[in-house]
Amino acid sequence: MDRHHAAKTATLSYDRVRQLMLIGMGWTIIALGVLIAPLPGPGGIPVIALGGMLLLRNSADARRLFVRAKRRWPRALYPFEKLRQRFRKR
């Protein structure tokens, strides 16, 4: 392998750094939703859903796990899937 190719593969591209930041933001938003969940009102569920959608848009592993969970518990994840499809059309 020549030096140019090795140097190119050793650095992260802007798109990859952006993707990793969005994945980190998704996990942070999910953690915030879990912290908000015990408070009165439905505040935690929409926040967790927002973080999950951010993860699904940026992580192939999250999408794979979501598909597996959707096959196993279709009724439980139907509202989330419906919301995801609505935002996907936009």
Side-chain angles (χ1 to χ4, degrees), residues 28-39 44 47-48:
T28 303
I29 292 170
I30 289 173
L32 181 67
V34 169
L35 291 174
I36 293 173
L39 298 175
V47 174
I48 291 170

Side-chain angles (χ1 to χ4, degrees), residues 32-90:
L32 181 67
V34 169
L35 291 174
I36 293 173
L39 298 175
I45 294 170
V47 174
I48 291 170
L50 179 68
M53 287 189 332
L54 198 57
L55 277 176
L56 287 174
R57 291 192 86 155
N58 294 290
S59 172
D61 291 334
R63 283 190 298 271
R64 198 173 310 114
L65 287 173
F66 180 71
V67 168
R68 283 184 192 164
K70 199 169 58 168
R71 286 182 185 148
R72 186 171 181 140
W73 303 291
R75 296 180 88 192
L77 293 173
Y78 175 75
F80 192 71
E81 173 64 17
K82 188 175 179 180
L83 183 66
R84 190 182 72 85
Q85 286 177 354
R86 182 180 299 158
F87 280 104
R88 191 174 185 193
K89 289 179 183 177
R90 291 183 182 183

